[in-house]
Amino acid sequence: SPFLYLPFGFGPRSCIGRRIVEMEMELGIARMVRNFHIEFNHPTENAFKSVMFNMPNIPLTFKFTDVEYWDNREDTSYAHTYGVFVYEI
C-alpha cells in the first residue's frame, strides 16, 4: 500500500513544515558530502533484509574523513586539528 508510511500526512491536511524539513535534509547531506570524504569498506551483498521496509543485516559503519585532512594527509600539521571519524548506524 502506498499509504503505509507517511510521516508528514497526505493531501490538504499534510504537515506545513514538510518542505522545510526536506530542504534541511538536503542541505545537511550536501554539507556532509562537501566537507567529508565518506567511505564504506564492507561487503554489500545481503546487507539488507526486507521486513516492512529495508533494514540492515550488518552494522553500517561509515568512515568520515575531513576533506582538508584528506587533501593534506602527508602534512602532519593537520593531524591535531582534523581527523577521521567513524560513525556506526
Side-chain angles (χ1 to χ4, degrees):
S1 171
F3 298 104
L4 188 63
Y5 177 72
L6 293 170
F8 297 103
F10 182 73
R13 295 180 60 99
S14 65
C15 178
I16 60 173
R18 176 182 184 168
R19 287 186 173 200
I20 294 171
V21 170
E22 289 174 348
M23 183 183 63
E24 287 292 325
M25 291 282 290
E26 289 177 21
L27 288 172
I29 292 170
R31 285 183 185 136
M32 280 193 339
V33 169
R34 184 179 44 211
N35 294 325
F36 293 98
H37 178 80
I38 303 168
E39 297 178 57
F40 182 73
N41 296 326
H42 301 284
T44 56
E45 57 275 347
N46 297 326
F48 295 95
K49 62 182 173 185
S50 181
V51 182
M52 240 172 152
F53 50 89
N54 288 335
M55 291 181 54
N57 269 340
I58 59 174
L60 300 177
T61 306
F62 294 93
K63 181 179 176 183
F64 293 86
T65 307
D66 193 89
V67 168
E68 291 182 33
Y69 177 78
W70 183 261
D71 292 339
N72 300 303
R73 287 186 301 260
E74 291 79 26
D75 185 7
T76 57
S77 64
Y78 281 93
H80 67 281
T81 33
Y82 299 105
V84 177
F85 309 96
V86 176
Y87 184 73
E88 185 173 316
I89 297 176

